[in-house]
């Protein structure tokens, strides 16, 4: 499952990263996608994805949007760790 996600220290910061990136890519307002795109901390994103894991999804292709590259990589790693514990 391919998922755009915003990863940051707060929901507000994560939304500020993902919204303009998606709007630029799709040329549509972020609000059209918001309910399908988790954003916030790694815990927030993992919580959003957990029902998909419970339904049998075994692989996610996360497209992270973060304040910087290191935070994106660390956030994706944290989401993976949280989902493999369940």
């Amino acid at each position: 499952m391919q998922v755009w996600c915003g990863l940051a220290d707060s929901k507000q910061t994560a939304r500020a990263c993902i919204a303009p990136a998606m709007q630029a890519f799709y040329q549509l307002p972020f609000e059209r996608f918001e309910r399908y795109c988790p954003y916030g901390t790694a815990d927030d994103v993992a919580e959003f994805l957990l029902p998909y894991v419970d339904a049998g999804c075994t692989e996610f292709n996360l497209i992270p949007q973060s304040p910087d590259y290191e935070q994106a990589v660390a956030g994706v790693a944290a989401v993976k760790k949280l989902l493999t514990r369940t």
Side-chain angles (χ1 to χ4, degrees):
M1 179 175 167
Q2 183 160 299
V3 181
W4 284 76
C5 61
L7 287 160
D9 294 333
S10 71
K11 279 191 165 273
Q12 183 179 22
T13 302
R15 189 182 191 285
C17 293
I18 192 173
M22 289 195 71
Q23 286 177 175
F25 189 81
Y26 289 106
Q27 298 295 300
L28 292 168
F30 177 64
E31 290 74 20
R32 299 273 304 269
F33 302 100
E34 191 165 2
R35 66 182 170 172
Y36 306 111
C37 304
Y39 58 87
T41 65
D43 288 323
D44 295 323
V45 173
E47 182 179 331
F48 178 93
L49 296 174
L50 190 56
Y52 296 98
V53 172
D54 292 342
C57 185
T58 58
E59 293 183 22
F60 293 100
N61 179 28
L62 299 183
I63 305 170
Q65 303 299 309
S66 293
D68 60 57
Y69 178 77
E70 289 79 17
Q71 193 166 12
V73 172
V76 169
V79 170
K80 179 180 179 180
K81 188 173 184 178
L82 288 164
L83 291 178
T84 56
R85 288 184 180 174
T86 58

